[in-house]
Amino acid sequence: MTERTGIYIDGTWSNGAGQIENRNPSDTSDLIGVYAQADAAQLDAAIAAARRAQPGWWAAGVQKRHDVLMAIGTEMMARAEEIGRIIAREEGKPAAEGKGEVYRAGQFFTYFAAEALRNQGDLAESVRPGIEIDVRREPVGVVAIVSPWNFPIATPAWKIAPALAFGNAVVWKPANLTPASAVALTEIIAKQDIPAGLFNMVLGSGRAVGQRLVESRDVDAISFTGSVPVGRGIAAAAIANMTKIQMEMGSKNPLLVMDDCDLDLAVAHAANSAFGGTGQKCTAASRLIVHSAVHDAFVEKLVKAAQAFKVGHALEEGTQIGPVVSESQLAQNLDYIGIGRAEGAELLCGGTRLDRATDGYFMAPTVFANTRNDMRMNREEMFAPITCVQKVDSYAEALARANDSEFGLTAGIMTRSLSRASHFRANMRAGCVMVNLPTAGTDYHVPFGGRGASSYGPREQGRYAAEFYTAVKTAYVAAGAPE
């Protein structure tokens, strides 16, 4: 039998046309495995298999889809610690965070198991006599899913689960940096009683496999999470075929710290938002916009909080921040340190690579002060444990700074003022707004997405996912008079 470090097409594990090494970013001497890379012919086979399998899955009915998704979700939650350690080993987030991610991924499947039963339509009265109208939702067909490395189980789960729940077939291209997580999820799905070819997992490079996938005329919808430049390329490819697209891309999330806030709570939420997951979250707070009345006290406490984090091996007990995911990501992060200094920002702590007992990509949590909103560090997504403080003199100035961005994913405010909180919720141009909460951390049963360059297309998660994973059909029936 082919070793399950390969690709999964049409119900069968197979070797790829090439291979890549998967190494532990906490300890680069730890080789996790060698994983397959698909070629164009194998990708085409996966798409063809998905197209053949999809009608049978839709015909199987809602109870079948419910049962399969419940089984997937239940097993994921039961194995959360085991698979969470796989994530920690290959992606670098602490094991406790990895376990939490897998458990949450299981909840996506159990939630959408129930949504399969709730895929109900509407009846409408016609303006013409003798005609009945019903409106129903049907699957779009074959869904291409392209997911990132930073949440290698949760992000594909919140895409795959609704795709299957609403009767679609899936071709999934995971990130090459986290193939072990992809194999673990695929093994759970593959053991279910589903048509061969309904779910396919194809590892490969973005250029060789990803681009061909999104350009395929046999793909009906594309769900993508990743960078803005890649997203724009996917959008251009999709429009050529009129393919439905849903994209979650970059962010530059602000957290407003007002003069009337609980300062200790503000520091805790800012530090966790900025540095949790090594800052490798699309919801990380990388812009801290702080009222001048509390600025100095806030910054002093934030630096102490940043320096107090335990940075270390992701599987080591007590580690709060793991390594950066790869050598190239670490190099990019350190480049931003130089950019910030060159633009005149004041480096208060961090900004360096850390030495630990193992050879890994460890980086100290970093705080910059005296930054401006026009600096590159406040305009570009960094995906790093770096946050930048800006000083403002009023709530109005803080809100204007927060909205001065091409992005609009999440945003938060720390305040005791009900009027400020209400105004912020109404006037902050972001898809998710938080009051006295971190910018990172969302629930699985409500919509997630942003505005501007952060998102494009229908929302993900919750019942709003149906807007992307289904097509609406309006049926008119003239039954005639009974004889």
Side-chain angles (χ1 to χ4, degrees), residues 163-359:
L164 296 180
F166 295 122
N168 301 285
V170 169
V171 178
W172 174 33
K173 196 205 91 61
N176 264 348
L177 282 171
T178 49
S181 303
V183 167
L185 177 55
T186 299
E187 286 178 335
I188 293 174
I189 297 173
K191 70 171 62 173
Q192 307 305 319
D193 181 20
I194 58 176
L198 181 72
F199 173 81
N200 306 270
M201 187 274 286
V202 184
L203 281 161
S205 72
R207 287 187 296 273
V209 173
Q211 192 64 29
R212 188 176 182 88
L213 176 60
V214 301
E215 290 177 351
S216 174
R217 292 180 179 272
D218 291 321
V219 165
D220 300 295
I222 303 164
S223 183
F224 165 77
T225 299
S227 70
V228 173
V230 174
R232 286 177 173 146
I234 288 174
I239 198 64
N241 296 326
M242 297 297 179
T243 306
K244 195 173 187 180
I245 54 174
Q246 172 194 69
M247 301 192 299
E248 294 299 330
M249 298 172 287
S251 63
K252 202 67 195 169
N253 308 299
L255 179 65
L256 281 60
V257 179
M258 294 292 95
D259 53 330
D260 62 346
C261 73
D262 178 328
L263 193 59
D264 289 335
L265 184 65
V267 170
H269 286 342
N272 289 333
S273 295
F275 305 126
T278 324
Q280 297 174 148
K281 295 181 178 181
C282 60
T283 53
S286 55
R287 290 192 296 153
L288 305 180
I289 302 172
V290 184
H291 196 288
S292 56
V294 295
H295 175 274
D296 292 352
F298 173 83
V299 168
E300 181 181 356
K301 288 176 177 284
L302 179 65
V303 169
K304 290 180 180 177
Q307 292 172 329
F309 279 112
K310 181 181 178 182
V311 181
H313 196 296
L315 293 174
E316 183 179 323
E317 188 71 26
T319 291
Q320 295 172 291
I321 297 177
V324 172
V325 72
S326 67
E327 185 174 14
S328 61
Q329 184 67 51
L330 178 59
Q332 178 179 301
N333 295 352
L334 296 176
D335 283 345
Y336 270 113
I337 301 301
I339 290 168
R341 283 174 153 169
E343 290 185 318
E346 181 184 359
L347 179 63
L348 298 183
C349 69
T352 59
R353 182 173 186 169
L354 298 175
D355 292 326
R356 292 295 182 261
T358 54
D359 183 17

Side-chain angles (χ1 to χ4, degrees), residues 57 62 64-70 73 104-119 154-167 246 443-448 459-467 469-470:
W57 179 241
V62 295
K64 178 67 172 179
R65 295 197 291 277
H66 167 275
D67 294 349
V68 167
L69 267 69
M70 279 297 294
R104 175 55 57 88
Q107 290 176 314
F108 282 115
F109 277 95
T110 57
Y111 173 85
F112 280 107
E115 284 297 286
L117 300 176
R118 288 192 288 262
N119 186 21
T155 302
W158 76 55
K159 298 174 185 291
I160 295 167
L164 296 180
F166 295 122
Q246 172 194 69
D443 288 355
Y444 61 89
H445 66 301
V446 292
F448 175 80
R459 285 288 188 261
E460 296 194 284
Q461 302 181 23
R463 62 184 177 85
Y464 288 78
E467 296 299 322
Y469 292 99
T470 65

